[in-house]
Amino acid sequence: MFRCLSLSLCLVLGSSAFAADNKEQSRLENCAVVMEEILDVPDNIPQELLEKAECVIVIPSMTKVAIGIGGSYGRGAMVCRSGKAFNGPWGAPAMYALEGGSFGLQLGGESTDVVFLVMNNRGVDALLNSKVKLGGNASAAAGPKGRSVEASTDASMRAEILSYSRSRGLFAGVSLEGTSLRPDDDATREVYGRKLSARSIVTGRGVSVPASGRRLVDVLEKNAPHNESTKTPSR
């Protein structure tokens, strides 16, 4: 009987671990779907900005709920260019979480896909160090959209992080100041099967792109290929 109980416990724990692993891998695969769909939208993220971005963060289905006290929560992945200057090919993804809150008389809820472009080394370093509050630890702005950045404001062009959202089929730049981004170490461990920090994935060598993250990396390589000669130095 003891053997049966031990076997049952092993099966339950194994099933739970498998389910968690599948959940995080599915989330990573969904990041690729969201990025593909956003890049297919007319007047989407300007090509010039995507090519200059050092990292891209995709948060599928960020949930915003408000019943007196509002909050936002979402989980996704960050992919950065390789190399010391972040101007090489796109590397392996690190899992990230977005959190935020607001107060006041409010009621309702919605789900939104969010994409962040990290435009310089300061933004990347802040995200790799710890939890980052947008507009606090890192300057953030609603990203301009369209085929070019000619109509962009100086404020958006000076920002370390540019943000975009897609809700109910509508795509636009959006300000998410006050929300926070942090490495999701538990999710990263589920994806890679071992403990890895976001910094070790982004800046280290020997971390291969997992099968569940290959599609996202391929989408970025296709739409913003590695080209050192055209990438301007980080600000």
Side-chain angles (χ1 to χ4, degrees), residues 13 35-37 61 65 67 73 94 113 131 142 159 163 174 223 234:
L13 292 176
M35 197 68 198
E36 282 180 334
E37 292 177 351
S61 302
V65 178
I67 306 177
Y73 183 73
D113 299 323
K131 185 175 182 178
S163 50
V174 62
N223 290 276
S234 298

Side-chain angles (χ1 to χ4, degrees), residues 61-66 71-73 108-112 166-168:
S61 302
M62 178 190 77
T63 302
K64 297 177 66 177
V65 178
S72 302
Y73 183 73
E110 65 175 322
S111 182
T112 305
R166 183 186 65 166
S167 180
R168 298 188 182 92

Side-chain angles (χ1 to χ4, degrees), residues 180-201:
S180 298
L181 285 164
R182 63 169 176 83
D184 191 345
D185 294 333
D186 290 339
T188 295
R189 184 171 60 248
E190 296 295 344
V191 169
Y192 289 93
R194 57 194 171 108
K195 185 177 181 180
L196 288 169
S197 67
R199 182 175 292 277
S200 66
I201 293 172

